[in-house]
Amino acid sequence: MSQSNGNLSPEAAKARFLQLQAQLDAADLAYHQSDAPIISDADYDALRREFQALQANFPDLETLSSRSKSVGAPVSSGFDKIQHAVRMLSLGNAFESEDVQDFAKSIRKYLGLAGDAQLDFTAEPKIDGLSLSLRYVNGQLMQAATRGDGSVGENVTANARTISDIPHVIENAPEILEVRGEVYMSHEDFAALNERQAAVGDKTFANPRNAAAGSLRQLDASITKSRPLRFFAYAWGDLSQPLAQTQFEAIQRFSDFGFQTNPLTRMCPSVDALIAHYQDIEAQRATLGYDIDGVVYKVNDLSLQERLGFRATTPRWAIAHKFPAELAWTRLEAIDIQVGRTGALSPVARLAPVTVGGVVVSNATLHNEDYIAGFDSKGQVIRDNKDIRVGDWVQIYRAGDVIPKVADVDLHKRPNDAKAYEFPMACPECQSPATREEGDSVRRCSGGMICPAQAVEKMKHFVSRAAFDIEGLGAKQVEQFHADGWINDPSDIFDLKQNFGSGLQQLKNKEGWGDKSAENLFSAIEEKRLIPLRRFIFSLGVRHAGEVAARDLALHYGSWEALASALDLARPAALAHRAGDEAVEVERHKATVEGRRAKISDTRNAAVAAYGVPPEAAAAWADLINADGIGPVLGLSLSDALSIAEERAAIDRLVSKLTIENAEQAQAADSPVAGKTVVFTGTLEKMTRAEAKARAEALGAKVAGSVSKKTDILIAGPGAGSKAKKAADLGIQTMDEDSWLTLIDQT
Ligand code: IVH
């Protein structure tokens, strides 16, 4: 149907082009903003194909197009984008008192404080809403932005102005002041809103957080105005001058400016005081009148906050102590199998919907085959050996933002005809055998890139905007080319032209492609053979390796070869770490059910020790997970991705077709130490090694453990020995700690 538009007269083509463009824009807007599609997916696809065909057949129309560049790319939400002057971060989580002790300990260690040195914190409820950044210039509210991805948010200024807790003008404020806090809805207002919505046949919201988010993000600010939103101020971004010397006083200043601050904010001089306040808040949770999901602890002294700084996405000086997991019982209606990018067959429980801690849950993870069976391949018993069957009455466990899981089963309520679940031995998507490696709890589709589910998901991610971003090759085209048998894994993309000697001809004959667009596609692919390391890492689609993590990995290892060989070396230590995590998870669940606190470290240590990891593997693993922004979750996921034979072969094949640009260490161009390799030796008196290293890295330096010809600066404290001598022999610049601080303070 759509190729035929090549016969249209130029005038008719132009008219149809503008009409299609308007229809597609309207459909995008309805879909993305209002959660209310106006046409079916199939109709949308047909319109889009017709539009693409017109673009191909009438290249001159490009000049009229507001869409051509965004074909295949995500459609914007309708709000303008705002780059945050200071990134909006999230918080690390603590679940047990022990995690809070560890938080305080790691701060002391980082700052070099003695165990008994005074360290004050603030503690306040963690509001379950959505964060908002308000920018005031000379006391006038100029801009309001949602968090977005942390770096770029949405401009919701008009909406924020309708919230009565948000002052439009404040007095005695610094010239630039960004106030950050949480937009939320009270229980009472939420219930009344849902009642009003239902009465007029509009959609109701699942919980107050969704209602708050849906109400703030309205293109028509008069709708926001009609919604009862509130705001608590608890943090700040860009500032032209400091607000105070402590967190507590800064919050007091917000209150003086006219903001609502949470009345349960307290100063706590010790971890015991934090825990006591946590318990107090937990006891009041049901009567507060708004949702909270934990308590946030922050180091009180702002100069210490500054020294502690940030990891990739979370501050070192704050943590969220989450309330314990919520439990509920419901019926298991079916078990579905999902096939992931890596071929893992993941069983998903389809449940009779049930509310768990204020959220309606109808899907939960069943982890893997052994988890359903009630015992693992090593003969370990799971849930007292109780298997899980369709029709069973099951217990759902939900902790914070993690995916809910089926935690237990009630055998007394089992229907008589319930049959033991048979885990599929073949992939439901491609029928390839699904196999398990020894010691692996996951059954995987052996189809690799033959499996359409794996192949397509992988390639869509590969071409996405933050990955290879190949102009003209979006998700739709990947699906089309895959269905036609043209591409089966990312490396095939780079052979497209050569494998189809007459590729151009073939592509031209396809719906929606003309001479120009086909040629453009091939040259766009060629252009991307040279790819920066961080994009390459991101493109692999490894779980948890998002854009920020990929950049951190690139900066830490510098080259793909260095990263891959470090992961190979660290593999035994990664497996031991996972065994520790699993043991802790089991202990935590037992503790929740028995109503006690879990014992974490003993459980973990015993499980890790049982593995007997070689020291060089332990060292490579420690280097990986201690690197800024990386950590064990990502470490494990990377380690897995590179250890699966077919995955690795596909990656190696891809690497052979590319030139991967090594990462530039220098980030902070105006820093005098950017790109320099520095080594610390001897005793540092003003800060710990960890802090010295983190600060140097934040300024774009690379911190090495030993002196070599590549070293640029040696910072030698008292007691420096062989490293200082070696540096002198090699003629390397050497300075003491004070000179180093003077050097970096210039920045
Ligand atoms: S402080 C640099 N304080 O929790 C960290 N956040 O999980 C600044 N939140 O994105 C955040 N109540 O949306 C902070 N009292 C509170 C909070 C709070 C809720 C949210 C906030 C943040 C998320 C992190």
Side-chain angles (χ1 to χ4, degrees):
M1 176 249 323
S2 37
Q3 293 110 310
S4 63
N5 64 26
N7 306 328
L8 292 177
S9 70
E11 293 71 33
K14 181 177 166 189
R16 183 68 186 141
F17 184 88
L18 292 172
Q19 190 181 26
L20 284 170
Q21 181 159 281
Q23 282 175 330
L24 286 166
D25 284 349
D28 285 341
L29 208 67
Y31 182 84
H32 288 280
Q33 248 104 74
S34 327
D35 268 350
I38 49 175
I39 58 173
S40 71
D41 285 358
D43 288 348
Y44 181 86
D45 286 345
L47 289 181
R48 199 149 97 163
R49 273 200 302 275
E50 192 185 342
F51 185 73
Q52 285 173 339
L54 270 176
Q55 284 181 309
N57 289 328
F58 297 91
D60 291 349
L61 291 175
E62 296 275 335
T63 53
L64 294 173
S65 175
S66 57
R67 300 182 58 83
S68 50
K69 295 225 166 42
S70 65
V71 170
V75 183
S76 91
S77 65
F79 289 99
D80 289 340
K81 299 281 180 255
I82 288 186
Q83 173 93 38
H84 295 297
V86 174
R87 274 209 304 146
M88 289 183 81
L89 297 165
S90 58
L91 294 167
N93 290 329
F95 293 98
E96 312 291 337
S97 308
E98 210 172 312
D99 302 333
V100 182
Q101 297 282 4
D102 289 348
F103 164 68
K105 248 190 243 161
S106 72
I107 289 177
R108 285 178 191 283
K109 188 163 169 225
Y110 188 92
L111 295 171
L113 294 178
D116 55 359
Q118 186 57 38
L119 184 60
D120 293 335
F121 298 92
T122 59
E124 71 206 58
K126 183 170 188 298
I127 317 297
D128 199 4
L130 71 153
S131 48
L132 185 67
S133 185
L134 305 168
R135 187 174 175 89
Y136 291 85
V137 179
N138 294 321
Q140 305 275 343
L141 175 60
M142 301 301 282
Q143 206 171 59
T146 61
R147 178 171 145 191
D149 67 359
S151 300
V152 177
E154 289 166 328
N155 186 345
V156 289
T157 312
N159 312 69
R161 284 185 198 279
T162 70
I163 300 175
S164 58
D165 284 348
I166 296 179
H168 292 194
V169 181
I170 53 184
E171 278 167 21
N172 303 321
E175 186 185 334
I176 306 280
L177 166 64
E178 275 181 13
V179 177
R180 291 179 176 176
E182 203 84 351
V183 174
Y184 68 102
M185 198 178 280
S186 74
H187 291 159
E188 210 183 323
D189 289 338
F190 165 70
L193 171 64
N194 264 356
E195 237 170 71
R196 285 200 305 277
Q197 295 280 107
V200 295
D202 275 351
K203 77 166 189 183
T204 55
F205 296 98
N207 54 48
R209 175 163 38 90
N210 289 359
S215 301
L216 182 72
R217 296 178 69 257
Q218 288 284 341
L219 283 179
D220 177 356
S222 68
I223 301 181
T224 308
K225 190 169 183 180
S226 72
R227 304 278 172 83
L229 293 174
R230 299 168 189 240
F231 181 78
F232 275 129
Y234 54 63
W236 54 93
D238 204 6
L239 278 182
S240 53
Q241 68 189 67
L243 287 171
Q245 290 188 335
T246 65
Q247 175 77 29
F248 199 76
E249 290 158 2
I251 299 303
Q252 182 57 47
R253 285 204 69 194
F254 285 162
S255 165
D256 296 343
F257 291 146
F259 289 96
Q260 299 298 319
T261 58
N262 194 285
L264 291 171
T265 308
R266 296 273 183 281
M267 274 277 299
C268 294
S270 64
V271 168
D272 287 347
L274 290 176
I275 304 292
H277 191 44
Y278 170 89
Q279 286 165 348
D280 193 22
I281 292 178
E282 193 179 16
Q284 299 183 52
R285 184 180 184 189
T287 55
L288 288 178
Y290 50 87
D291 278 352
I292 63 172
D293 57 352
V295 178
V296 182
Y297 305 144
K298 298 171 184 168
V299 168
N300 190 40
D301 182 331
L302 297 183
S303 62
L304 295 184
Q305 282 192 10
E306 195 174 327
R307 279 178 61 192
L308 286 159
F310 301 90
R311 301 178 208 93
T313 56
T314 56
R316 288 193 186 84
W317 44 265
I319 199 163
H321 189 177
K322 295 295 199 75
F323 291 132
E326 309 270 355
L327 301 173
W329 288 87
T330 188
R331 185 82 64 192
L332 175 63
E333 295 185 332
I335 298 177
D336 286 348
I337 301 290
Q338 283 178 351
V339 184
R341 271 189 206 139
T342 58
L345 266 49
S346 307
V348 179
R350 306 294 180 201
L351 306 164
V354 60
T355 306
V356 195
V359 171
V360 179
V361 171
S362 45
N363 301 309
T365 176
L366 280 159
H367 298 287
N368 54 49
E369 176 175 7
D370 294 345
Y371 193 79
I372 299 177
F375 59 89
D376 73 12
S377 53
K378 293 178 212 119
Q380 293 273 2
V381 165
I382 302 170
R383 280 185 318 279
D384 298 331
N385 227 344
K386 292 181 280 187
D387 73 325
I388 293 174
R389 303 183 180 187
V390 172
D392 269 339
W393 198 248
V394 288
Q395 186 190 52
I396 310 304
Y397 170 102
R398 192 180 79 93
D401 303 332
V402 297
I403 303 168
K405 66 182 197 191
V406 174
D408 204 356
V409 51
D410 186 347
L411 295 186
H412 300 295
K413 293 195 178 172
R414 172 165 286 173
N416 290 334
D417 59 352
K419 284 199 227 48
Y421 178 73
E422 278 186 40
F423 202 90
M425 296 294 131
C427 170
E429 299 284 342
C430 71
Q431 280 66 52
S432 300
T435 54
R436 278 176 71 169
E437 301 215 342
E438 213 182 302
D440 190 355
S441 55
V442 176
R443 187 168 290 279
R444 290 176 199 277
C445 162
S446 60
M449 300 301 275
I450 300 167
C451 175
Q454 285 188 60
V456 169
E457 288 313 308
K458 240 193 194 117
M459 288 190 290
K460 277 189 193 166
H461 176 83
F462 183 81
V463 300
S464 66
R465 195 180 277 187
F468 272 67
D469 191 22
I470 298 173
E471 179 108 33
L473 192 58
K476 283 273 167 222
Q477 290 81 359
V478 163
E479 272 173 15
Q480 191 186 19
F481 290 173
H482 178 262
D484 294 344
W486 287 32
I487 53 173
N488 284 313
D489 83 25
S491 73
D492 292 340
I493 294 171
F494 295 93
D495 292 341
L496 252 180
K497 187 173 178 180
Q498 154 206 327
N499 281 353
F500 297 90
S502 56
L504 188 60
Q505 199 51 45
Q506 293 210 24
L507 198 51
K508 249 174 52 185
N509 294 339
K510 282 196 80 66
E511 199 177 307
W513 293 92
D515 271 355
K516 187 158 174 258
S517 53
E519 247 168 65
N520 286 349
L521 174 65
F522 291 136
S523 60
I525 292 172
E526 282 312 301
E527 243 175 57
K528 294 295 162 83
R529 278 191 203 265
L530 176 66
I531 193 85
L533 179 58
R534 66 187 163 80
R535 276 186 181 263
F536 177 74
I537 297 172
F538 177 72
S539 78
L540 298 177
V542 175
R543 250 182 104 208
H544 307 292
E547 279 180 78
V548 176
R551 186 203 61 196
D552 289 338
L553 282 164
L555 286 175
H556 188 72
Y557 288 99
S559 71
W560 170 251
E561 293 69 30
L563 170 59
S565 54
L567 283 166
D568 292 342
L569 186 60
R571 182 64 180 164
L575 291 174
H577 189 101
R578 166 164 303 125
D581 280 353
E582 282 167 359
V584 166
E585 169 81 19
V586 169
E587 166 67 15
R588 255 196 194 131
H589 178 251
K590 256 172 53 196
T592 305
V593 172
E594 290 164 15
R596 59 175 172 81
R597 298 269 168 201
K599 283 180 280 168
I600 305 300
S601 350
D602 301 353
T603 312
R604 176 184 296 279
N605 294 343
V608 171
Y611 261 73
V613 174
E616 60 281 8
W621 176 245
D623 180 57
L624 172 69
I625 67 171
N626 292 324
D628 246 23
I630 300 179
V633 174
L634 170 59
L636 272 173
S637 156
L638 275 167
S639 174
D640 286 350
L642 268 76
S643 310
I644 302 165
E646 303 90 64
E647 288 271 312
R648 182 59 176 269
I651 295 174
D652 291 344
R653 208 162 44 242
L654 176 62
V655 170
S656 74
K657 294 179 181 160
L658 303 171
T659 306
I660 303 174
E661 275 179 311
N662 288 351
E664 283 279 337
Q665 304 289 345
Q667 264 186 308
D670 54 350
S671 146
V673 298
K676 299 253 163 89
T677 297
V678 304
V679 174
F680 292 98
T681 187
T683 314
L684 298 180
E685 290 167 330
K686 303 265 164 64
M687 60 178 89
T688 61
R689 277 288 167 87
E691 183 176 357
K693 181 167 184 281
R695 283 184 69 177
E697 284 173 348
L699 293 168
K702 182 173 162 48
V703 180
S706 57
V707 173
S708 72
K709 273 186 286 186
K710 288 195 196 139
T711 310
D712 294 300
I713 306 173
L714 179 78
I715 299 98
S722 60
K723 285 185 192 163
K725 186 170 176 309
K726 186 161 177 199
D729 292 347
L730 292 169
I732 287 163
Q733 184 186 8
T734 300
M735 59 178 75
D736 63 12
E737 190 182 1
D738 282 337
S739 318
W740 165 254
L741 287 175
T742 314
L743 175 68
I744 62 176
D745 275 350
Q746 286 167 359
T747 62

